[in-house]
Amino acid sequence: MKSYLILSIMFLTLIACSSQTITPDIGSLDLKVTIGPLCPVEPCNRNADDIRKVYEAYTFTVKEAKTGKIVLEKTLTYNGTSGLLKSTDMSVGEFELDFSPKSFFNKQGFPRPFIIEKSKITQLNISIDTGIR
């Protein structure tokens, strides 16, 4: 009888523990990118489609800072004024942001470290120098 009671308690404990869902701590990344200059002289007369193609040519990569494992790789989305990259549900931790293609003018300061905190939005503003003069 005593062993039956112990087995019943163990079984109930197992059922109670298995119904709990463990969710990882997550946050979000909100990246705003400006790219320029797009023309050697102002005013720049490039049409909106050409500018969109310039922005969408850039790919951003997020790696875990400690392991170097790539956790996100996306191209920019152009919204008419700047490039955007949004990622929700990123695990909490330390990361590095990098992009391609790079040139002599825009490689300094990258990869750029940043931290994702629990239930917070990490906002980064990036300016890419094209070297067009």
Side-chain angles (χ1 to χ4, degrees):
M1 182 75 172
K2 195 174 192 180
S3 62
Y4 176 72
L5 181 62
I6 292 172
L7 284 174
S8 296
I9 292 172
M10 288 174 54
F11 181 72
L12 290 173
T13 304
L14 263 171
I15 291 175
C17 290
S18 66
S19 65
Q20 293 178 349
T21 304
I22 299 173
T23 56
D25 293 338
I26 58 171
S28 298
L29 174 64
D30 190 357
L31 186 65
K32 181 180 177 185
V33 180
T34 54
I35 300 173
L38 298 177
C39 297
V41 293
E42 293 296 326
C44 187
N45 294 322
R46 294 181 87 165
N47 66 40
D49 192 47
D50 286 344
I51 295 171
R52 180 187 55 79
K53 288 177 184 175
V54 169
Y55 275 86
E56 291 177 354
Y58 284 87
T59 301
F60 280 79
T61 305
V62 176
K63 295 180 181 179
E64 290 180 347
K66 291 181 183 177
T67 65
K69 177 184 172 189
I70 295 174
V71 296
L72 177 68
E73 190 168 25
K74 281 187 172 182
T75 57
L76 287 177
T77 303
Y78 183 63
N79 72 353
T81 57
S82 60
L84 301 176
L85 185 145
K86 294 183 183 222
S87 178
T88 56
D89 300 339
M90 285 190 66
S91 296
V92 170
E94 296 179 21
F95 298 92
E96 292 180 342
L97 177 72
D98 209 351
F99 70 93
S100 64
K102 285 189 181 174
S103 73
F104 171 78
F105 296 99
N106 59 29
K107 66 182 179 181
Q108 293 179 334
F110 286 92
R112 180 175 292 176
F114 68 97
I115 296 173
I116 296 290
E117 297 180 68
K118 182 179 180 179
S119 302
K120 291 187 179 179
I121 299 172
T122 300
Q123 295 181 326
L124 299 175
N125 293 319
I126 306 294
S127 180
I128 296 176
D129 186 347
T130 61
I132 298 172
R133 305 281 188 264

